[in-house]
Amino acid sequence: MGRAPQDTPGGFWTYAFLAVTALFAAFPLYWMFVIATSTDEATAQLPPVVIPGDQFLVNLDEVFSMQDVYFAASLVNSVIVATVVTASVLFFCSLAGFAFAKLRFKGSRALLLFVILTLTVPNQLGVVALYIVMGELGWNGTLLAVIVPGMVTAFGVFYMRQFIVNAVPDELVESARIDGASTMRVYWNIVLPAVRPALAVLGLLTFVATWNDFQWPLITLNGTDYPTSMVAISDLASGNYVIYRRVLAGAFVATVPLLIMLVIGGRQIVRGIMEGAVKS
Amino acid sequence: MSATRAAPEPTTRRPPPARSRRMTWHDRLHRFDVRVVPYLLIAPFFLLFFVFGLFPMIFNGVVALRHWRLDDPELTGWAGFENFGRLFSDGDFGNALYNTFGIFLLSTVPQLLLALVIASMLNRRLRAQTWWRVSVLLPYITPITASTLVFNVFFSRDLGMANWALGLIGIGTENPIDWRADKLHSWIAIATMVNWKWIGYNALLYLAAMQSIPRDVYEASALDGAGPWRQLWRITVPMIRPVVIFTVVLSTIGGLQLFTEPMLFDLNAQTARGGAGGEWQTVAQLIYKVGWKDLNLGYAAAMSWALFLIILAVAALNTYLTNRLSGGRK
């Protein structure tokens, strides 16, 4: 009896409970696929159909050939936005994280504290003014309005800093400095190779968050022909009569890249979320 | 460690710089590298934060004090506290605030409790451990726009799976529940979506904290005859209190800004009404409607400032309550 939960092997009920949980977690995704592959008749009957149909390509074709929603272009936009934002976050956050972790400069502690404090500011609440700022810049309705504000994040800076503190030994940096390596050279040759795991985690989390973002793209890209795919999905679901097999075929396509990421990088994503929690 | 591989190629060692008064080009470069480069490395964050984070937040306050209509650019004078004053008599705002809190309560409490239970299950020694952890993250990576539309089908009145399942246990067989007809049912539907999305994520946060609890604490309590359930509430929860508070604050901030689910739960997504009679219109949604459908940015800015203050107050209150409740003693 004297065992900690960590050492207690899971019994039948533990597995049963977790299996039900996993089923609940997966069910909406599965059902999205069922409807995306079915006809209107198949989805309009009770008890509901639970087996995917064979209409996926038909439904997909309808989504991609719609007159007023350019779904393919919106997917391309999502790829552009998420890729550029992710690359930029990785670059700028690792640079800043390196500076905060390993370089000595006046005010670095206060500045780091400031970065951490900004984590608590809900940026979203400035959307009205942000929209006006973007209007002054002439960026509303363009992808710049979605990309630029996300190019470096406080979370990323803090996350990279924590990782670099432990992953890069001070002696290594110092000896490189003595050998005459410049700051950027230390970053490129010592820091970057050492932080690859952290870059993978931050990259996955950033890509997922950027891809899924809805409110700001809706505000700034609304009414343009080529929004991101999340806005395009909401366009598909607007109108007096929504054809769900079509909408969900589109939604499913926009979810696939993230499912692939979860399959490939699931372990990293889990680790990233758990590490973030312990440190905060 | 890949340290050896990562070490830079030895550059030609030069003798220590001669102590001359004139700085060489090389010295200047070195000074620049040590004194200025660190600031350049952190500059992008501060630059972007000031331009697209802090400035808009403050400027939002200015906009809130002005007339600012997208359809009437001439009307740009100061409004003073007119916009704020209007909030107090605005039935729509009161209604949105009421809905926001209702949905917030229905989603946060079950979400965190279930996350706690799931985390304690995941904390046991399991086969295929990683697989279970990854599976609870499926909702986290699913776009809310996509999952909300699936739930729309799920909660449809006549052909929805929710009503069909309820019918099996004898609920609503005569009159199927219309999930969009009244506040309580629409709140439940939306809260279900929020819960679904965030339970796994929070479970992982709790799991991370649970794993750092020393084992002997449990061994001692087991000797006193505490079962797993008692251990969870008396030991685990108090010991992961910082993370519990963290999740409470996070879900408060997130819950009070709820936007995507109520937007798309509407059968005509872009009206931003939140139901025919605003049954589930949240504050974030109302801000969108006032700003970009009614084109009154000044008033929308006032609303978002008010919401910001409310979030601060509720987050502080929740932190205080959680701290006391999970502390075990008063």
Side-chain angles (χ1 to χ4, degrees):
Chain A
M1 256 318 273
R3 259 200 296 220
Q6 296 98 307
D7 305 320
T8 315
F12 171 77
W13 289 111
T14 308
Y15 285 105
F17 180 83
L18 286 175
V20 172
T21 305
L23 215 64
F24 268 108
F27 180 72
L29 272 169
Y30 175 71
W31 218 35
M32 187 180 348
F33 187 67
V34 170
I35 296 170
T37 54
S38 303
T39 58
D40 281 330
E41 295 76 46
T43 50
Q45 62 188 40
L46 288 174
V49 276
V50 287
I51 298 178
D54 55 2
Q55 299 294 302
F56 188 53
L57 292 179
V58 176
N59 294 336
L60 215 53
D61 187 54
E62 278 187 34
V63 178
F64 282 111
S65 56
M66 279 183 74
Q67 288 297 317
D68 38 357
V69 180
Y70 304 96
F71 197 68
S74 79
L75 279 173
V76 173
N77 279 347
S78 282
V79 171
I80 294 171
V81 169
T83 310
V84 173
V85 167
T86 303
S88 154
V89 160
L90 292 184
F91 181 62
F92 287 128
C93 291
S94 61
L95 275 181
F98 164 51
F100 280 124
K102 296 292 166 185
L103 301 182
R104 262 177 246 142
F105 52 99
K106 264 197 190 134
S108 68
R109 289 176 73 88
L111 289 170
L112 179 64
L113 187 68
F114 183 83
V115 172
I116 296 169
L117 280 178
T118 65
L119 277 172
T120 59
V121 177
N123 268 341
Q124 230 196 62
L125 294 177
V127 292
V128 172
L130 188 60
Y131 181 80
I132 294 170
V133 170
M134 291 297 178
E136 291 295 317
L137 292 170
W139 289 0
N140 275 323
T142 74
L143 293 188
L144 278 178
V146 186
I147 291 174
V148 178
M151 285 178 78
V152 48
T153 60
F155 171 77
V157 172
F158 182 65
Y159 190 81
M160 291 312 297
R161 188 242 169 214
Q162 295 300 88
F163 193 88
I164 293 171
V165 164
N166 301 315
V168 182
D170 284 338
E171 303 81 57
L172 197 63
V173 176
E174 271 155 31
S175 68
R177 286 324 271 272
I178 292 168
D179 286 343
S182 66
T183 306
M184 282 312 282
R185 203 177 166 82
V186 172
Y187 167 75
W188 193 255
N189 287 353
I190 298 178
V191 176
L192 268 193
V195 298
R196 268 197 211 134
L199 290 178
V201 171
L202 184 60
L204 288 167
L205 293 176
T206 307
F207 192 94
V208 170
T210 312
W211 185 275
N212 289 346
D213 194 15
F214 176 65
Q215 187 178 11
W216 174 242
L218 175 71
I219 289 171
T220 185
L221 300 179
N222 204 7
T224 60
D225 276 348
Y226 305 109
T228 57
S229 59
M230 294 303 122
V231 181
I233 289 173
S234 83
D235 285 339
L236 290 174
S238 287
N240 292 322
Y241 183 67
V242 179
I243 303 167
Y244 278 100
R245 60 183 171 76
R246 182 159 83 189
V247 179
L248 291 177
F252 185 75
V253 170
T255 310
V256 166
L258 306 178
L259 287 176
I260 294 172
M261 295 198 119
L262 190 69
V263 170
I264 297 173
R267 190 184 290 264
Q268 273 88 354
I269 297 182
V270 167
R271 200 197 298 145
I273 290 173
M274 288 177 63
E275 277 171 5
V278 174
K279 276 159 190 164
S280 48
Chain B
M1 271 312 290
S2 54
T4 42
R5 191 168 50 85
E9 278 100 73
T11 47
T12 42
R13 278 174 194 271
R14 54 198 165 79
R19 272 242 154 268
S20 72
R21 219 147 287 154
R22 260 191 62 219
M23 284 197 355
T24 63
W25 179 81
H26 209 110
D27 290 336
R28 279 168 203 273
L29 206 64
H30 182 71
R31 261 177 82 103
F32 177 80
D33 195 42
V34 173
R35 298 252 171 101
V36 183
V37 167
Y39 294 104
L40 291 183
L41 300 193
I42 61 171
F45 171 78
F46 288 92
L47 205 69
L48 284 186
F49 178 72
F50 282 122
V51 178
F52 298 112
L54 194 61
F55 175 70
M57 287 267 313
I58 297 165
F59 187 46
N60 216 20
V62 178
V63 177
L65 296 172
R66 297 184 73 103
H67 295 288
W68 201 306
R69 294 195 59 98
L70 283 172
D71 55 347
D72 185 5
E74 304 295 303
L75 189 67
T76 53
W78 287 97
F81 285 92
E82 191 185 309
N83 286 325
F84 285 102
R86 206 174 133 186
L87 284 177
F88 291 99
S89 53
D90 185 344
D92 285 350
F93 185 71
N95 173 56
L97 209 54
Y98 179 55
N99 294 342
T100 305
F101 273 99
I103 299 170
F104 166 68
L105 284 178
L106 287 175
S107 56
T108 316
V109 179
Q111 180 191 136
L112 297 183
L113 287 179
L114 268 169
L116 210 51
V117 175
I118 291 172
S120 74
M121 297 287 180
L122 286 171
N123 196 25
R124 305 223 165 123
R125 223 176 63 225
L126 298 172
R127 284 163 199 275
Q129 199 187 50
T130 309
W131 194 88
W132 294 113
R133 291 180 189 173
V134 171
S135 74
V136 299
L137 266 194
L138 265 175
Y140 172 76
I141 62 123
T142 308
I144 307 183
T145 48
S147 59
T148 303
L149 292 170
V150 180
F151 278 109
N152 274 359
V153 181
F154 187 81
F155 285 114
S156 97
R157 192 181 68 115
D158 297 318
L159 297 163
M161 198 179 263
N163 279 344
W164 172 76
L166 287 174
L168 293 183
I169 53 172
I171 297 175
T173 38
E174 293 297 310
N175 289 308
I177 297 170
D178 188 345
W179 297 94
R180 291 179 178 80
D182 63 87
K183 283 193 185 299
L184 185 62
H185 287 106
S186 61
W187 291 359
I188 290 174
I190 290 169
T192 305
M193 305 176 199
V194 179
N195 287 326
W196 177 78
K197 171 94 181 165
W198 294 108
I199 285 174
Y201 178 83
N202 285 303
L204 287 184
L205 298 189
Y206 290 152
L207 176 63
M210 285 177 187
Q211 293 191 332
S212 57
I213 300 176
R215 286 171 161 67
D216 48 2
V217 181
Y218 289 105
E219 281 154 19
S221 84
L223 286 180
D224 294 341
W229 196 247
R230 228 180 129 80
Q231 281 188 340
L232 177 64
W233 293 108
R234 288 298 165 84
I235 300 174
T236 310
V237 174
M239 291 206 69
I240 64 170
R241 192 168 54 166
V243 175
V244 173
I245 293 173
F246 176 69
T247 57
V248 167
V249 172
L250 267 193
S251 49
T252 304
I253 293 172
L256 295 181
Q257 296 186 75
L258 205 63
F259 179 76
T260 310
E261 291 92 341
M263 276 294 280
L264 294 178
F265 188 56
D266 227 313
L267 287 177
N268 191 346
Q270 293 227 346
T271 59
R273 278 178 321 188
E279 286 86 354
W280 65 86
Q281 186 180 54
T282 61
V283 177
Q285 206 183 351
L286 182 62
I287 291 171
Y288 176 78
K289 180 177 172 291
V290 168
W292 286 276
K293 298 285 167 187
D294 306 345
L295 306 176
N296 190 348
L297 285 187
Y299 190 36
M303 277 184 184
S304 61
W305 254 91
L307 180 61
F308 177 55
L309 295 179
I310 292 167
I311 289 177
L312 277 187
V314 176
L317 178 73
N318 278 349
T319 311
Y320 172 77
L321 286 178
T322 317
N323 207 358
R324 290 198 66 157
L325 287 176
S326 63
R329 60 197 63 170
K330 307 275 134 70

